Structure formats: structure tokens, C-alpha cells
Amino acid sequence: MKELSCDLHIVGGALTGLLTAYCASCLGYGIIISEKQNITLNKKKSITDTRTTAIAEGSKVFLESQGLWKFIKVFAEPIKNIKVFDTTANSNLEFSNPIIKSNLGYIVKNSKLISVLIKELKKKKNVNFITGSSLNSISYSNSKVISFSNNKKINSKLIIAADGKNSAVRKILGTNFFKKKYNEKALVINFFHERPHNNIAYEIFFKTGPLAILPMQKERNRNQSALIWSNKPEIVDKIASSDLDNKYLKEILNEQVYQQVGNVTNINSLQSFPLSAHINEKFYDNKT
């Protein structure tokens, strides 16, 4: 069994784990990131996560303080205004940032964020990756916490669990958590459209659930936005089904987005996710 040592063992190599590793590495800690998926460490390979992340202005300021924003901003589309309205009410809300040269937030593709973080972490001599490795158990010895995964033993001073809502670390430690399933799924679509979005984000509330339209960067000089639509599972499954002709899918989307961004000209990616809420009983354990 191969034995490794570090200050921080970060379990989970997605956005939270990678960003945590980058910030901690700047403080000089020796870090191991372990991820059960074979996350790409080759920038020439594509990353399959087609979702987007909304970065608030305050988070952007933090990323600037860490020296990361200069790498991210080239992929970020500003949100200058947010318009919120309810289809059953007469009143609408509109938000903007009163601070000059500041925005409400920024929309960035997850694939771009992950690529930036991996690229910058690979430059760090105090950061190592272990991929394709699942955590099996955790034990303690004096001032160390020891994790075992496949054929590796990792000694560290602290474990940081960044392994998502179905956390293996939480399961191993037996941490209680509360979970609520919503009878809804989210449809996530990136699409090209006729009219410019003018850096406006929309939040539209229907009886069946909210629909958001988020401004994305142009690609090949074509207007692009992301749509996140919460609805009943059977409706989302039908829309996301490969049996639905692309022409009919565009017509369904046009009903929802035409007033804001014009006709949908092309659907670039489509995913669906079940919606649920999770909260841990506590967020710490012995050295974890």
C-alpha cells in the first residue's frame, strides 16, 4: 500500500474542492486532492460539465484577492440587471448594482472554471492529485487523521470534505443529515437565440416552478444564454427525452423565452437534475 503525507487532504475535485485547494495552497500548506472520478488534468481534453455558475460581485472580489479573477474574467459574462416577475401578479422587481463599474454577478461555464483551477493548481509544487480513487475508511493516530482509498494510505493533519451532497466522508463518519426531496426536476439548457440579452438575467415565477434565463458569453458571434427551469418531473423528463424532436423542443422553449431574447436558434446542451435539499447536523468532526 502506497503511503502519502500532507497537511490537508481535500476529498472532492470539483469546483469547491479545487477552489479550496488553491486558496489553501497560497498559505503554504501541503495538499492532496483526491477525486473518485478521473478528472482531466490535460487541458486539451474537454470537461463534460455543461452547467454554469453564477459568481456574485462579492465572490468576484474574493477571487481577485486570491489572484484568480484575472484568469476567470475572460470567460465571464456580467449580469448588469436582474428582472423578476410573477406571471400571476402585476408587480415586477428590477435590480442593478448602484456602485459604478460593478455588476450584480457573472455567469461562467463550469468547464471553464474547472479548467482554470486545474491549470493553476498544476503549477503548485505543494499540491498533488489522486484521481479515480474512492475513500474507503478514516482513522486517527495522535495528531494525524488517516484515510484509506483503494491501495493508498494518506496521512494528514486535516481532512476537508468537498465531495458533494452524497458525501462519502459524511457516510464514513456517520454524520446525521436532513434531506428534503422536492417533487420537481430542473431542466438546464444552454442555447443560442436571436436577440442580444443585454446582460440582463430574468427570473420568472410560474405556478409549476421558477424559470431563469442567464446571460452567457457569445460563441462564434452568436447570442447565448442558459435556461434553468424547475418543473414537475414528468414534464422535465418529456422535454429532456431523446424522443422529442428538436423542432418541438425549440417551440416549447420559444414559448418561455421569446419575449426576453427572441427565438431559440440552436440548443447547445441539455441536462436534467432532480431537486432536493440537504443539511448536515454538524459540519465538523475530529480533524475533519
Side-chain angles (χ1 to χ4, degrees):
M1 178 174 283
K2 188 175 181 180
E3 188 166 347
L4 304 166
S5 296
C6 61
D7 295 314
L8 301 179
H9 175 197
I10 296 176
V11 181
L15 287 175
T16 300
L18 294 173
L19 182 57
T20 303
Y22 182 88
C23 296
S25 71
C26 294
L27 301 174
Y29 294 115
I31 295 165
I32 290 174
I33 304 167
S34 63
E35 166 58 45
K36 65 180 179 180
Q37 303 294 329
N38 283 306
I39 59 172
T40 176
L41 300 181
N42 184 346
K43 65 181 179 181
K44 292 182 180 178
K45 285 184 68 179
S46 61
I47 293 166
T48 57
D49 191 346
T50 62
R51 292 173 295 172
T52 57
T53 290
I55 297 175
E57 184 71 21
S59 298
K60 173 214 142 185
V61 172
F62 171 75
L63 291 169
E64 279 181 324
S65 75
Q66 300 299 299
L68 277 172
W69 184 248
K70 61 187 176 187
F71 305 116
I72 295 169
K73 68 179 180 181
V74 294
F75 305 113
E77 186 68 9
I79 300 173
K80 295 181 179 177
N81 299 90
I82 298 176
K83 294 186 177 182
V84 183
F85 50 94
D86 189 327
T87 55
T88 62
N90 295 321
S91 59
N92 299 330
L93 295 172
E94 187 166 341
F95 301 93
S96 60
N97 195 328
I99 301 171
I100 297 172
K101 294 184 179 180
S102 293
N103 299 297
L104 290 169
Y106 305 83
I107 300 298
V108 188
K109 282 186 175 182
N110 283 10
S111 59
K112 298 297 184 185
L113 282 171
I114 290 169
S115 294
V116 165
L117 288 165
I118 289 176
K119 181 181 177 182
E120 295 309 309
L121 282 165
K122 283 177 70 179
K123 296 175 183 177
K124 305 271 189 179
K125 293 182 179 179
N126 56 333
V127 177
N128 291 296
F129 286 89
I130 296 174
T131 62
S133 181
S134 297
L135 194 69
N136 297 323
S137 63
I138 295 170
S139 64
Y140 304 94
S141 172
N142 299 324
S143 60
K144 294 187 296 185
V145 54
I146 306 162
S147 58
F148 297 88
S149 53
N150 301 352
N151 61 341
K152 294 183 178 65
K153 174 183 177 183
I154 301 173
N155 301 304
S156 62
K157 296 176 182 176
L158 186 74
I159 287 177
I160 296 177
D163 54 344
K165 67 181 182 181
N166 298 313
S167 170
V169 175
R170 183 184 65 206
K171 186 176 180 181
I172 289 167
L173 296 176
T175 304
N176 290 326
F177 68 102
F178 305 96
K179 178 179 179 180
K180 178 179 179 180
K181 286 186 178 180
Y182 298 102
N183 187 32
E184 288 186 353
K185 278 189 169 183
L187 189 70
V188 181
I189 297 176
N190 295 344
F191 64 99
F192 289 141
H193 47 84
E194 286 181 325
R195 298 200 302 265
H197 49 56
N198 297 318
N199 298 102
I200 299 171
Y202 297 91
E203 186 83 15
I204 308 164
F205 287 89
F206 297 101
K207 286 182 178 179
T208 53
L211 181 149
I213 306 169
L214 305 174
M216 293 177 65
Q217 278 194 334
K218 282 187 175 184
E219 285 188 18
R220 301 188 294 278
N221 206 33
R222 300 168 76 181
N223 301 309
Q224 185 176 202
S225 291
L227 176 142
I228 300 96
W229 188 6
S230 300
N231 213 318
K232 294 177 181 177
E234 58 269 24
I235 293 174
V236 170
D237 288 341
K238 193 152 192 173
I239 294 173
S241 169
S242 57
D243 297 332
L244 186 66
D245 189 280
N246 200 51
K247 177 178 70 175
Y248 297 119
L249 177 55
K250 283 184 185 177
E251 287 179 8
I252 291 168
L253 295 183
N254 282 335
E255 284 185 19
Q256 312 304 326
V257 306
Y258 177 78
Q259 286 187 320
Q260 287 74 37
V261 294
N263 280 318
V264 174
T265 57
N266 194 66
I267 294 162
N268 303 325
S269 67
L270 186 154
Q271 295 174 287
S272 65
F273 302 90
L275 297 178
S276 59
H278 302 242
I279 188 164
N280 286 2
E281 187 177 63
K282 61 178 181 176
F283 290 88
Y284 61 92
D285 208 298
N286 186 9
K287 300 182 181 66
T288 305

